[in-house]
Amino acid sequence: MRGDGSIPMLEVRGLAKRFGGIVAVRDVDLTVPRGRVHAVIGPNGAGKTTVFNCIAAFLPPSSGVIRVDGVRVDGLPAHRVAAHGVARTYQNVRLFPNMTALETVLVGRHRRLRAAFWEAVVGTSRFRREEAEARDRARALLDFAGIGHRAGTLARHLPYGDQRRLEIARALATEPCLLLLDEPAAGMNPAEGQALAQLIDRIRHQFGITVLLIEHHMRVVMAVAERITVFEQGRVLTEGTPAEVQADERVIAAYLGRPRAPAGPRPAPRLQEASVA
């Protein structure tokens, strides 16, 4: 773990993103302390993935400041942001279909190798040693993700849930300090979602990695997140603990798309029971 423990792992201030005349994200503030699991939720089109894309430098922010481990990264190219310890997965699985699971994780691991290009061509002892260590680490990460037995399987032949796990293993291979998970439970059944929640919890506790999570599956969110930020129409609607967010009428209204209830006692539906497409 790097940096001063008093410095947040992620600090976003006044973030905005415009696409022509359309404002997708406006005035977003977000702080994630190191070593935490922080979830971002909200209806489709609320701007969650746009914020992720700005943090990871897949999109340049129109305005605002983004700091990772105390270092300002807005305006840097994606490879420089990755070098500062940011890794991510995607809403739609992005794997090399003709690579094996082991080769896929090695792609992430090779960013950490120090041997020069000519050493790889010549096959120096340093390169061979680093390559062997990378393979050992890749196999260990596949085991950690629960798919060690799939090391030799082509990515396109993996079940969907295992493809999701493989994406996470590849991201972990870069040794990130901040891991962005964009709807990792999408398409998973309840049992797979529960296993994913356990994996995210182990990532935090065993590696000390800070996790920022976008997720629609509320059972996963409630199981792993210590704090939740709720987006609505490109803005932060509210932030709090899972219990606070779950009881917030504004959040329930945003998810269910109904007017906010008038004052007066009535049992509120539990957020995790809402259908969140």
Side-chain angles (χ1 to χ4, degrees):
M1 188 176 296
R2 295 169 286 186
D4 182 348
S6 65
I7 297 174
M9 182 55 67
L10 175 67
E11 185 178 17
V12 177
R13 291 289 175 264
L15 181 67
K17 179 59 184 176
R18 295 179 289 274
F19 297 94
I22 299 174
V23 182
V25 172
R26 65 185 74 203
D27 299 325
V28 167
D29 291 342
L30 179 65
T31 301
V32 182
R34 62 187 63 247
R36 301 289 183 86
V37 177
H38 191 115
V40 175
I41 67 172
N44 286 331
K48 306 181 299 297
T49 294
T50 299
V51 171
F52 261 41
N53 286 337
C54 289
I55 295 170
F58 282 68
L59 288 174
S62 300
S63 60
V65 173
I66 302 171
R67 291 187 176 89
V68 174
D69 205 10
V71 177
R72 187 167 178 175
V73 299
D74 53 280
L76 296 181
H79 72 278
R80 292 277 305 280
V81 175
H84 281 290
V86 178
R88 69 167 298 176
T89 65
Y90 301 87
Q91 279 186 13
N92 301 313
V93 174
R94 297 187 185 182
L95 297 170
F96 301 105
N98 294 319
M99 281 188 176
T100 66
L102 179 63
E103 291 167 342
T104 299
V105 179
L106 282 171
V107 169
R109 190 63 193 165
H110 279 160
R111 194 177 72 80
R112 288 291 178 182
L113 301 188
R114 295 291 179 260
F117 174 76
W118 69 267
E119 292 182 273
V121 174
V122 176
T124 63
S125 59
R126 178 188 180 188
F127 170 76
R128 293 195 302 271
R129 182 179 66 255
E130 284 195 345
E131 189 70 15
E133 290 172 352
R135 285 183 171 272
D136 289 343
R137 181 58 176 164
R139 290 185 183 278
L141 287 171
L142 288 173
D143 287 338
F144 177 83
I147 52 173
H149 60 295
R150 304 281 195 179
T153 304
L154 293 180
R156 71 173 186 268
H157 292 157
L158 291 173
Y160 182 77
D162 286 352
Q163 289 184 0
R164 287 283 184 184
R165 288 173 172 272
L166 179 57
E167 268 204 319
I168 293 173
R170 180 179 61 187
L172 291 175
T174 68
E175 297 183 8
C177 60
L178 175 63
L179 179 60
L180 310 177
L181 300 179
D182 194 350
E183 297 190 32
M188 290 186 175
N189 61 40
E192 290 172 329
Q194 182 180 9
L196 175 70
Q198 293 170 351
L199 175 60
I200 293 170
D201 193 57
R202 287 192 291 120
I203 288 171
R204 177 205 168 190
H205 285 97
Q206 291 186 221
F207 296 144
I209 295 172
T210 306
V211 178
L212 184 62
L213 167 74
I214 293 176
E215 189 51 70
H216 284 303
H217 287 252
M218 297 311 300
R219 292 187 186 280
V220 173
V221 171
M222 295 298 172
V224 299
E226 294 159 282
R227 289 190 71 80
I228 300 172
T229 298
V230 185
F231 277 57
E232 183 184 29
Q233 298 180 356
R235 294 180 180 271
V236 173
L237 176 64
T238 189
E239 181 181 313
T241 66
E244 290 168 344
V245 167
Q246 189 178 33
D248 193 316
E249 282 286 348
R250 295 172 300 169
V251 178
I252 296 169
Y255 266 87
L256 298 182
R258 67 166 186 257
R260 293 169 188 170
R266 71 169 181 82
R270 293 173 63 84
L271 182 60
Q272 66 199 49
E273 295 170 355
S275 174
V276 187

PDB file of all heavy atoms in Angstrom, residues 5-42:
ATOM      1  N   GLY A   5      -1.572   7.361   4.818  1.00  0.00           N
ATOM      2  CA  GLY A   5      -2.861   6.784   5.162  1.00  0.00           C
ATOM      3  C   GLY A   5      -3.956   7.806   5.357  1.00  0.00           C
ATOM      4  O   GLY A   5      -5.142   7.474   5.309  1.00  0.00           O
ATOM      5  N   SER A   6      -3.591   9.071   5.589  1.00  0.00           N
ATOM      6  CA  SER A   6      -4.605  10.111   5.761  1.00  0.00           C
ATOM      7  C   SER A   6      -5.119  10.653   4.433  1.00  0.00           C
ATOM      8  O   SER A   6      -6.112  11.382   4.399  1.00  0.00           O
ATOM      9  CB  SER A   6      -4.025  11.271   6.579  1.00  0.00           C
ATOM     10  OG  SER A   6      -2.969  11.909   5.866  1.00  0.00           O
ATOM     11  N   ILE A   7      -4.454  10.311   3.332  1.00  0.00           N
ATOM     12  CA  ILE A   7      -4.847  10.793   2.009  1.00  0.00           C
ATOM     13  C   ILE A   7      -5.829   9.804   1.391  1.00  0.00           C
ATOM     14  O   ILE A   7      -5.561   8.606   1.355  1.00  0.00           O
ATOM     15  CB  ILE A   7      -3.614  10.946   1.100  1.00  0.00           C
ATOM     16  CG1 ILE A   7      -2.656  11.988   1.661  1.00  0.00           C
ATOM     17  CG2 ILE A   7      -4.029  11.335  -0.326  1.00  0.00           C
ATOM     18  CD1 ILE A   7      -1.358  12.100   0.901  1.00  0.00           C
ATOM     19  N   PRO A   8      -6.976  10.263   0.899  1.00  0.00           N
ATOM     20  CA  PRO A   8      -7.921   9.331   0.259  1.00  0.00           C
ATOM     21  C   PRO A   8      -7.281   8.640  -0.943  1.00  0.00           C
ATOM     22  O   PRO A   8      -6.428   9.222  -1.623  1.00  0.00           O
ATOM     23  CB  PRO A   8      -9.072  10.242  -0.181  1.00  0.00           C
ATOM     24  CG  PRO A   8      -8.937  11.494   0.608  1.00  0.00           C
ATOM     25  CD  PRO A   8      -7.469  11.651   0.884  1.00  0.00           C
ATOM     26  N   MET A   9      -7.701   7.419  -1.189  1.00  0.00           N
ATOM     27  CA  MET A   9      -7.210   6.743  -2.381  1.00  0.00           C
ATOM     28  C   MET A   9      -7.770   7.395  -3.639  1.00  0.00           C
ATOM     29  O   MET A   9      -7.085   7.503  -4.661  1.00  0.00           O
ATOM     30  CB  MET A   9      -7.598   5.261  -2.344  1.00  0.00           C
ATOM     31  CG  MET A   9      -7.076   4.477  -3.544  1.00  0.00           C
ATOM     32  SD  MET A   9      -5.294   4.627  -3.776  1.00  0.00           S
ATOM     33  CE  MET A   9      -4.696   3.759  -2.329  1.00  0.00           C
ATOM     34  N   LEU A  10      -9.026   7.850  -3.569  1.00  0.00           N
ATOM     35  CA  LEU A  10      -9.631   8.543  -4.702  1.00  0.00           C
ATOM     36  C   LEU A  10     -10.319   9.797  -4.209  1.00  0.00           C
ATOM     37  O   LEU A  10     -11.080   9.758  -3.240  1.00  0.00           O
ATOM     38  CB  LEU A  10     -10.648   7.642  -5.408  1.00  0.00           C
ATOM     39  CG  LEU A  10     -11.438   8.297  -6.547  1.00  0.00           C
ATOM     40  CD1 LEU A  10     -10.519   8.643  -7.715  1.00  0.00           C
ATOM     41  CD2 LEU A  10     -12.569   7.385  -7.010  1.00  0.00           C
ATOM     42  N   GLU A  11     -10.043  10.900  -4.878  1.00  0.00           N
ATOM     43  CA  GLU A  11     -10.711  12.155  -4.565  1.00  0.00           C
ATOM     44  C   GLU A  11     -11.137  12.815  -5.871  1.00  0.00           C
ATOM     45  O   GLU A  11     -10.301  13.096  -6.736  1.00  0.00           O
ATOM     46  CB  GLU A  11      -9.790  13.082  -3.781  1.00  0.00           C
ATOM     47  CG  GLU A  11     -10.466  14.358  -3.308  1.00  0.00           C
ATOM     48  CD  GLU A  11      -9.536  15.228  -2.491  1.00  0.00           C
ATOM     49  OE1 GLU A  11      -8.305  15.024  -2.559  1.00  0.00           O
ATOM     50  OE2 GLU A  11     -10.046  16.114  -1.777  1.00  0.00           O
ATOM     51  N   VAL A  12     -12.434  13.011  -6.023  1.00  0.00           N
ATOM     52  CA  VAL A  12     -13.002  13.650  -7.214  1.00  0.00           C
ATOM     53  C   VAL A  12     -13.694  14.923  -6.760  1.00  0.00           C
ATOM     54  O   VAL A  12     -14.498  14.899  -5.833  1.00  0.00           O
ATOM     55  CB  VAL A  12     -14.006  12.710  -7.924  1.00  0.00           C
ATOM     56  CG1 VAL A  12     -14.653  13.411  -9.115  1.00  0.00           C
ATOM     57  CG2 VAL A  12     -13.319  11.425  -8.364  1.00  0.00           C
ATOM     58  N   ARG A  13     -13.394  16.040  -7.426  1.00  0.00           N
ATOM     59  CA  ARG A  13     -13.981  17.319  -7.049  1.00  0.00           C
ATOM     60  C   ARG A  13     -14.493  18.050  -8.294  1.00  0.00           C
ATOM     61  O   ARG A  13     -13.737  18.296  -9.243  1.00  0.00           O
ATOM     62  CB  ARG A  13     -12.949  18.206  -6.333  1.00  0.00           C
ATOM     63  CG  ARG A  13     -12.567  17.697  -4.951  1.00  0.00           C
ATOM     64  CD  ARG A  13     -13.720  17.875  -3.973  1.00  0.00           C
ATOM     65  NE  ARG A  13     -13.442  17.296  -2.655  1.00  0.00           N
ATOM     66  CZ  ARG A  13     -13.824  16.091  -2.279  1.00  0.00           C
ATOM     67  NH1 ARG A  13     -14.495  15.318  -3.124  1.00  0.00           N
ATOM     68  NH2 ARG A  13     -13.540  15.644  -1.076  1.00  0.00           N
ATOM     69  N   GLY A  14     -15.775  18.385  -8.272  1.00  0.00           N
ATOM     70  CA  GLY A  14     -16.362  19.201  -9.327  1.00  0.00           C
ATOM     71  C   GLY A  14     -16.300  18.577 -10.713  1.00  0.00           C
ATOM     72  O   GLY A  14     -16.236  19.303 -11.714  1.00  0.00           O
ATOM     73  N   LEU A  15     -16.381  17.259 -10.781  1.00  0.00           N
ATOM     74  CA  LEU A  15     -16.240  16.577 -12.071  1.00  0.00           C
ATOM     75  C   LEU A  15     -17.462  16.826 -12.947  1.00  0.00           C
ATOM     76  O   LEU A  15     -18.605  16.685 -12.508  1.00  0.00           O
ATOM     77  CB  LEU A  15     -16.065  15.073 -11.861  1.00  0.00           C
ATOM     78  CG  LEU A  15     -15.881  14.239 -13.139  1.00  0.00           C
ATOM     79  CD1 LEU A  15     -14.568  14.575 -13.813  1.00  0.00           C
ATOM     80  CD2 LEU A  15     -15.953  12.750 -12.818  1.00  0.00           C
ATOM     81  N   ALA A  16     -17.205  17.181 -14.202  1.00  0.00           N
ATOM     82  CA  ALA A  16     -18.268  17.352 -15.193  1.00  0.00           C
ATOM     83  C   ALA A  16     -17.802  16.754 -16.508  1.00  0.00           C
ATOM     84  O   ALA A  16     -16.611  16.771 -16.827  1.00  0.00           O
ATOM     85  CB  ALA A  16     -18.622  18.822 -15.375  1.00  0.00           C
ATOM     86  N   LYS A  17     -18.766  16.220 -17.260  1.00  0.00           N
ATOM     87  CA  LYS A  17     -18.481  15.707 -18.594  1.00  0.00           C
ATOM     88  C   LYS A  17     -19.626  16.078 -19.522  1.00  0.00           C
ATOM     89  O   LYS A  17     -20.786  15.739 -19.259  1.00  0.00           O
ATOM     90  CB  LYS A  17     -18.295  14.181 -18.580  1.00  0.00           C
ATOM     91  CG  LYS A  17     -18.014  13.599 -19.966  1.00  0.00           C
ATOM     92  CD  LYS A  17     -16.759  14.185 -20.583  1.00  0.00           C
ATOM     93  CE  LYS A  17     -16.531  13.677 -22.003  1.00  0.00           C
ATOM     94  NZ  LYS A  17     -15.347  14.334 -22.635  1.00  0.00           N
ATOM     95  N   ARG A  18     -19.276  16.779 -20.594  1.00  0.00           N
ATOM     96  CA  ARG A  18     -20.252  17.200 -21.588  1.00  0.00           C
ATOM     97  C   ARG A  18     -19.948  16.545 -22.920  1.00  0.00           C
ATOM     98  O   ARG A  18     -18.788  16.429 -23.313  1.00  0.00           O
ATOM     99  CB  ARG A  18     -20.237  18.728 -21.736  1.00  0.00           C
ATOM    100  CG  ARG A  18     -20.690  19.482 -20.497  1.00  0.00           C
ATOM    101  CD  ARG A  18     -20.642  20.978 -20.694  1.00  0.00           C
ATOM    102  NE  ARG A  18     -19.255  21.452 -20.748  1.00  0.00           N
ATOM    103  CZ  ARG A  18     -18.526  21.761 -19.682  1.00  0.00           C
ATOM    104  NH1 ARG A  18     -19.051  21.647 -18.455  1.00  0.00           N
ATOM    105  NH2 ARG A  18     -17.299  22.185 -19.809  1.00  0.00           N
ATOM    106  N   PHE A  19     -21.000  16.130 -23.599  1.00  0.00           N
ATOM    107  CA  PHE A  19     -20.895  15.627 -24.964  1.00  0.00           C
ATOM    108  C   PHE A  19     -21.685  16.592 -25.848  1.00  0.00           C
ATOM    109  O   PHE A  19     -22.909  16.472 -25.983  1.00  0.00           O
ATOM    110  CB  PHE A  19     -21.467  14.213 -25.071  1.00  0.00           C
ATOM    111  CG  PHE A  19     -20.735  13.198 -24.245  1.00  0.00           C
ATOM    112  CD1 PHE A  19     -21.176  12.883 -22.960  1.00  0.00           C
ATOM    113  CD2 PHE A  19     -19.604  12.560 -24.727  1.00  0.00           C
ATOM    114  CE1 PHE A  19     -20.509  11.937 -22.190  1.00  0.00           C
ATOM    115  CE2 PHE A  19     -18.920  11.624 -23.958  1.00  0.00           C
ATOM    116  CZ  PHE A  19     -19.385  11.315 -22.690  1.00  0.00           C
ATOM    117  N   GLY A  20     -20.978  17.579 -26.413  1.00  0.00           N
ATOM    118  CA  GLY A  20     -21.682  18.615 -27.151  1.00  0.00           C
ATOM    119  C   GLY A  20     -22.566  19.398 -26.197  1.00  0.00           C
ATOM    120  O   GLY A  20     -22.120  19.923 -25.174  1.00  0.00           O
ATOM    121  N   GLY A  21     -23.858  19.448 -26.506  1.00  0.00           N
ATOM    122  CA  GLY A  21     -24.787  20.169 -25.645  1.00  0.00           C
ATOM    123  C   GLY A  21     -25.371  19.324 -24.539  1.00  0.00           C
ATOM    124  O   GLY A  21     -26.185  19.813 -23.749  1.00  0.00           O
ATOM    125  N   ILE A  22     -24.979  18.054 -24.473  1.00  0.00           N
ATOM    126  CA  ILE A  22     -25.520  17.149 -23.452  1.00  0.00           C
ATOM    127  C   ILE A  22     -24.557  17.085 -22.278  1.00  0.00           C
ATOM    128  O   ILE A  22     -23.366  16.794 -22.447  1.00  0.00           O
ATOM    129  CB  ILE A  22     -25.741  15.739 -24.027  1.00  0.00           C
ATOM    130  CG1 ILE A  22     -26.749  15.782 -25.175  1.00  0.00           C
ATOM    131  CG2 ILE A  22     -26.205  14.784 -22.929  1.00  0.00           C
ATOM    132  CD1 ILE A  22     -26.904  14.460 -25.891  1.00  0.00           C
ATOM    133  N   VAL A  23     -25.076  17.356 -21.088  1.00  0.00           N
ATOM    134  CA  VAL A  23     -24.272  17.256 -19.870  1.00  0.00           C
ATOM    135  C   VAL A  23     -24.552  15.897 -19.231  1.00  0.00           C
ATOM    136  O   VAL A  23     -25.634  15.671 -18.679  1.00  0.00           O
ATOM    137  CB  VAL A  23     -24.596  18.398 -18.892  1.00  0.00           C
ATOM    138  CG1 VAL A  23     -23.715  18.287 -17.652  1.00  0.00           C
ATOM    139  CG2 VAL A  23     -24.400  19.749 -19.563  1.00  0.00           C
ATOM    140  N   ALA A  24     -23.584  14.986 -19.333  1.00  0.00           N
ATOM    141  CA  ALA A  24     -23.773  13.637 -18.797  1.00  0.00           C
ATOM    142  C   ALA A  24     -23.476  13.569 -17.307  1.00  0.00           C
ATOM    143  O   ALA A  24     -24.102  12.797 -16.572  1.00  0.00           O
ATOM    144  CB  ALA A  24     -22.875  12.654 -19.549  1.00  0.00           C
ATOM    145  N   VAL A  25     -22.514  14.368 -16.850  1.00  0.00           N
ATOM    146  CA  VAL A  25     -22.113  14.388 -15.439  1.00  0.00           C
ATOM    147  C   VAL A  25     -21.858  15.832 -15.060  1.00  0.00           C
ATOM    148  O   VAL A  25     -21.228  16.578 -15.822  1.00  0.00           O
ATOM    149  CB  VAL A  25     -20.828  13.552 -15.218  1.00  0.00           C
ATOM    150  CG1 VAL A  25     -20.308  13.743 -13.796  1.00  0.00           C
ATOM    151  CG2 VAL A  25     -21.086  12.084 -15.493  1.00  0.00           C
ATOM    152  N   ARG A  26     -22.346  16.231 -13.877  1.00  0.00           N
ATOM    153  CA  ARG A  26     -22.143  17.623 -13.472  1.00  0.00           C
ATOM    154  C   ARG A  26     -21.856  17.703 -11.982  1.00  0.00           C
ATOM    155  O   ARG A  26     -22.524  17.060 -11.165  1.00  0.00           O
ATOM    156  CB  ARG A  26     -23.352  18.476 -13.836  1.00  0.00           C
ATOM    157  CG  ARG A  26     -24.643  18.124 -13.111  1.00  0.00           C
ATOM    158  CD  ARG A  26     -25.809  18.952 -13.623  1.00  0.00           C
ATOM    159  NE  ARG A  26     -26.238  18.505 -14.943  1.00  0.00           N
ATOM    160  CZ  ARG A  26     -26.899  19.258 -15.812  1.00  0.00           C
ATOM    161  NH1 ARG A  26     -27.183  20.493 -15.516  1.00  0.00           N
ATOM    162  NH2 ARG A  26     -27.279  18.771 -16.961  1.00  0.00           N
ATOM    163  N   ASP A  27     -20.801  18.438 -11.639  1.00  0.00           N
ATOM    164  CA  ASP A  27     -20.487  18.797 -10.235  1.00  0.00           C
ATOM    165  C   ASP A  27     -20.436  17.585  -9.309  1.00  0.00           C
ATOM    166  O   ASP A  27     -20.990  17.596  -8.207  1.00  0.00           O
ATOM    167  CB  ASP A  27     -21.509  19.804  -9.696  1.00  0.00           C
ATOM    168  CG  ASP A  27     -21.517  21.095 -10.487  1.00  0.00           C
ATOM    169  OD1 ASP A  27     -20.440  21.510 -10.937  1.00  0.00           O
ATOM    170  OD2 ASP A  27     -22.614  21.677 -10.670  1.00  0.00           O
ATOM    171  N   VAL A  28     -19.747  16.543  -9.736  1.00  0.00           N
ATOM    172  CA  VAL A  28     -19.654  15.328  -8.924  1.00  0.00           C
ATOM    173  C   VAL A  28     -18.462  15.420  -7.977  1.00  0.00           C
ATOM    174  O   VAL A  28     -17.327  15.671  -8.398  1.00  0.00           O
ATOM    175  CB  VAL A  28     -19.519  14.082  -9.818  1.00  0.00           C
ATOM    176  CG1 VAL A  28     -19.098  12.860  -8.984  1.00  0.00           C
ATOM    177  CG2 VAL A  28     -20.834  13.797 -10.522  1.00  0.00           C
ATOM    178  N   ASP A  29     -18.737  15.225  -6.693  1.00  0.00           N
ATOM    179  CA  ASP A  29     -17.705  15.092  -5.663  1.00  0.00           C
ATOM    180  C   ASP A  29     -17.768  13.662  -5.126  1.00  0.00           C
ATOM    181  O   ASP A  29     -18.859  13.153  -4.833  1.00  0.00           O
ATOM    182  CB  ASP A  29     -17.931  16.072  -4.518  1.00  0.00           C
ATOM    183  CG  ASP A  29     -17.700  17.516  -4.918  1.00  0.00           C
ATOM    184  OD1 ASP A  29     -17.051  17.757  -5.956  1.00  0.00           O
ATOM    185  OD2 ASP A  29     -18.173  18.412  -4.190  1.00  0.00           O
ATOM    186  N   LEU A  30     -16.603  13.059  -4.978  1.00  0.00           N
ATOM    187  CA  LEU A  30     -16.558  11.674  -4.500  1.00  0.00           C
ATOM    188  C   LEU A  30     -15.226  11.451  -3.807  1.00  0.00           C
ATOM    189  O   LEU A  30     -14.172  11.771  -4.359  1.00  0.00           O
ATOM    190  CB  LEU A  30     -16.699  10.709  -5.686  1.00  0.00           C
ATOM    191  CG  LEU A  30     -16.652   9.211  -5.388  1.00  0.00           C
ATOM    192  CD1 LEU A  30     -17.844   8.783  -4.544  1.00  0.00           C
ATOM    193  CD2 LEU A  30     -16.629   8.425  -6.701  1.00  0.00           C
ATOM    194  N   THR A  31     -15.276  10.926  -2.591  1.00  0.00           N
ATOM    195  CA  THR A  31     -14.062  10.612  -1.838  1.00  0.00           C
ATOM    196  C   THR A  31     -14.130   9.168  -1.363  1.00  0.00           C
ATOM    197  O   THR A  31     -15.117   8.763  -0.752  1.00  0.00           O
ATOM    198  CB  THR A  31     -13.904  11.543  -0.617  1.00  0.00           C
ATOM    199  OG1 THR A  31     -13.841  12.898  -1.068  1.00  0.00           O
ATOM    200  CG2 THR A  31     -12.631  11.219   0.148  1.00  0.00           C
ATOM    201  N   VAL A  32     -13.075   8.409  -1.660  1.00  0.00           N
ATOM    202  CA  VAL A  32     -13.007   7.015  -1.241  1.00  0.00           C
ATOM    203  C   VAL A  32     -11.723   6.811  -0.441  1.00  0.00           C
ATOM    204  O   VAL A  32     -10.620   6.892  -1.001  1.00  0.00           O
ATOM    205  CB  VAL A  32     -13.023   6.057  -2.454  1.00  0.00           C
ATOM    206  CG1 VAL A  32     -13.012   4.601  -1.969  1.00  0.00           C
ATOM    207  CG2 VAL A  32     -14.238   6.327  -3.338  1.00  0.00           C
ATOM    208  N   PRO A  33     -11.810   6.559   0.871  1.00  0.00           N
ATOM    209  CA  PRO A  33     -10.611   6.286   1.658  1.00  0.00           C
ATOM    210  C   PRO A  33      -9.933   4.999   1.200  1.00  0.00           C
ATOM    211  O   PRO A  33     -10.568   4.107   0.631  1.00  0.00           O
ATOM    212  CB  PRO A  33     -11.154   6.144   3.089  1.00  0.00           C
ATOM    213  CG  PRO A  33     -12.495   6.815   3.065  1.00  0.00           C
ATOM    214  CD  PRO A  33     -13.029   6.584   1.688  1.00  0.00           C
ATOM    215  N   ARG A  34      -8.658   4.896   1.464  1.00  0.00           N
ATOM    216  CA  ARG A  34      -7.922   3.705   1.028  1.00  0.00           C
ATOM    217  C   ARG A  34      -8.393   2.467   1.788  1.00  0.00           C
ATOM    218  O   ARG A  34      -8.783   2.541   2.962  1.00  0.00           O
ATOM    219  CB  ARG A  34      -6.414   3.909   1.192  1.00  0.00           C
ATOM    220  CG  ARG A  34      -5.946   4.129   2.606  1.00  0.00           C
ATOM    221  CD  ARG A  34      -4.461   4.480   2.648  1.00  0.00           C
ATOM    222  NE  ARG A  34      -4.190   5.730   1.947  1.00  0.00           N
ATOM    223  CZ  ARG A  34      -3.494   5.808   0.820  1.00  0.00           C
ATOM    224  NH1 ARG A  34      -2.968   4.721   0.265  1.00  0.00           N
ATOM    225  NH2 ARG A  34      -3.285   6.979   0.245  1.00  0.00           N
ATOM    226  N   GLY A  35      -8.377   1.358   1.080  1.00  0.00           N
ATOM    227  CA  GLY A  35      -8.740   0.083   1.689  1.00  0.00           C
ATOM    228  C   GLY A  35     -10.218  -0.139   1.867  1.00  0.00           C
ATOM    229  O   GLY A  35     -10.622  -1.091   2.536  1.00  0.00           O
ATOM    230  N   ARG A  36     -11.055   0.692   1.258  1.00  0.00           N
ATOM    231  CA  ARG A  36     -12.506   0.556   1.404  1.00  0.00           C
ATOM    232  C   ARG A  36     -13.138  -0.020   0.142  1.00  0.00           C
ATOM    233  O   ARG A  36     -12.556   0.016  -0.936  1.00  0.00           O
ATOM    234  CB  ARG A  36     -13.136   1.922   1.687  1.00  0.00           C
ATOM    235  CG  ARG A  36     -12.619   2.602   2.935  1.00  0.00           C
ATOM    236  CD  ARG A  36     -13.103   1.912   4.200  1.00  0.00           C
ATOM    237  NE  ARG A  36     -12.659   2.613   5.401  1.00  0.00           N
ATOM    238  CZ  ARG A  36     -13.306   3.626   5.952  1.00  0.00           C
ATOM    239  NH1 ARG A  36     -14.428   4.074   5.400  1.00  0.00           N
ATOM    240  NH2 ARG A  36     -12.849   4.209   7.044  1.00  0.00           N
ATOM    241  N   VAL A  37     -14.365  -0.529   0.296  1.00  0.00           N
ATOM    242  CA  VAL A  37     -15.206  -0.892  -0.839  1.00  0.00           C
ATOM    243  C   VAL A  37     -16.339   0.122  -0.883  1.00  0.00           C
ATOM    244  O   VAL A  37     -17.130   0.225   0.055  1.00  0.00           O
ATOM    245  CB  VAL A  37     -15.769  -2.320  -0.715  1.00  0.00           C
ATOM    246  CG1 VAL A  37     -16.698  -2.625  -1.898  1.00  0.00           C
ATOM    247  CG2 VAL A  37     -14.636  -3.339  -0.663  1.00  0.00           C
ATOM    248  N   HIS A  38     -16.397   0.897  -1.949  1.00  0.00           N
ATOM    249  CA  HIS A  38     -17.365   1.982  -2.093  1.00  0.00           C
ATOM    250  C   HIS A  38     -18.184   1.699  -3.343  1.00  0.00           C
ATOM    251  O   HIS A  38     -17.626   1.471  -4.420  1.00  0.00           O
ATOM    252  CB  HIS A  38     -16.628   3.310  -2.230  1.00  0.00           C
ATOM    253  CG  HIS A  38     -17.505   4.517  -2.124  1.00  0.00           C
ATOM    254  ND1 HIS A  38     -17.407   5.431  -1.101  1.00  0.00           N
ATOM    255  CD2 HIS A  38     -18.515   4.961  -2.924  1.00  0.00           C
ATOM    256  CE1 HIS A  38     -18.297   6.395  -1.277  1.00  0.00           C
ATOM    257  NE2 HIS A  38     -18.994   6.126  -2.377  1.00  0.00           N
ATOM    258  N   ALA A  39     -19.495   1.698  -3.220  1.00  0.00           N
ATOM    259  CA  ALA A  39     -20.377   1.395  -4.352  1.00  0.00           C
ATOM    260  C   ALA A  39     -20.988   2.669  -4.908  1.00  0.00           C
ATOM    261  O   ALA A  39     -21.252   3.626  -4.186  1.00  0.00           O
ATOM    262  CB  ALA A  39     -21.482   0.432  -3.923  1.00  0.00           C
ATOM    263  N   VAL A  40     -21.198   2.652  -6.227  1.00  0.00           N
ATOM    264  CA  VAL A  40     -21.912   3.714  -6.922  1.00  0.00           C
ATOM    265  C   VAL A  40     -23.140   3.081  -7.565  1.00  0.00           C
ATOM    266  O   VAL A  40     -23.016   2.134  -8.339  1.00  0.00           O
ATOM    267  CB  VAL A  40     -21.031   4.383  -7.993  1.00  0.00           C
ATOM    268  CG1 VAL A  40     -21.835   5.397  -8.797  1.00  0.00           C
ATOM    269  CG2 VAL A  40     -19.823   5.046  -7.351  1.00  0.00           C
ATOM    270  N   ILE A  41     -24.321   3.570  -7.223  1.00  0.00           N
ATOM    271  CA  ILE A  41     -25.550   3.011  -7.763  1.00  0.00           C
ATOM    272  C   ILE A  41     -26.399   4.120  -8.364  1.00  0.00           C
ATOM    273  O   ILE A  41     -26.143   5.309  -8.147  1.00  0.00           O
ATOM    274  CB  ILE A  41     -26.362   2.238  -6.689  1.00  0.00           C
ATOM    275  CG1 ILE A  41     -26.903   3.199  -5.624  1.00  0.00           C
ATOM    276  CG2 ILE A  41     -25.513   1.148  -6.047  1.00  0.00           C
ATOM    277  CD1 ILE A  41     -27.876   2.542  -4.645  1.00  0.00           C
ATOM    278  N   GLY A  42     -27.419   3.722  -9.094  1.00  0.00           N
ATOM    279  CA  GLY A  42     -28.330   4.674  -9.704  1.00  0.00           C
ATOM    280  C   GLY A  42     -28.963   4.075 -10.935  1.00  0.00           C
ATOM    281  O   GLY A  42     -28.490   3.059 -11.471  1.00  0.00           O
TER     282      GLY A  42
END
